Amino acid sequence: MGAGRSYVRWLVLRETLVLVSAGIVLGVPITLLGRHMIESMLYGLHASDLIDLLASVALLFGVAILAGFLPAQRASRVDPMVALRYE
């Protein structure tokens, strides 16, 4: 009820980042374990290339932050009384 806009934004972004982090924590080891299969499908790209792996993780985090920030911005503008009446 009394949360400020920045706190509401942080709540939504934190949930987004937790989900993305969990996906990365699970996905990177799976990628490294299945790198032989990935290397056979992708020409000139090695699954164990650190730069490619870091770039994909950074891109994923960037897209997740943008995808989480837009709904968070919208949620922070909602009047609490309107939200309570809706429920």
Side-chain angles (χ1 to χ4, degrees):
M1 274 297 287
R5 287 185 178 195
S6 62
Y7 186 72
V8 172
R9 277 190 295 255
W10 172 241
L11 283 174
V12 176
L13 281 175
R14 185 176 58 191
E15 288 181 22
T16 303
L17 293 176
V18 165
L19 289 173
V20 170
S21 298
I24 288 172
V25 166
L26 292 173
V28 169
I30 291 171
T31 300
L32 293 175
L33 288 174
R35 70 178 185 233
H36 295 295
M37 184 177 66
I38 293 170
E39 288 173 357
S40 69
M41 288 190 242
L42 301 172
Y43 177 74
L45 184 68
H46 301 284
S48 58
D49 284 342
L50 184 61
I51 293 173
D52 295 332
L53 197 57
L54 290 176
S56 63
V57 167
L59 181 66
L60 185 60
F61 265 117
V63 169
I65 288 171
L66 181 64
F69 182 76
L70 297 176
Q73 186 72 11
R74 203 171 337 131
S76 69
R77 293 183 184 155
V78 173
D79 182 32
M81 290 307 294
V82 172
L84 285 173
R85 285 187 193 132
Y86 181 75
E87 293 293 324

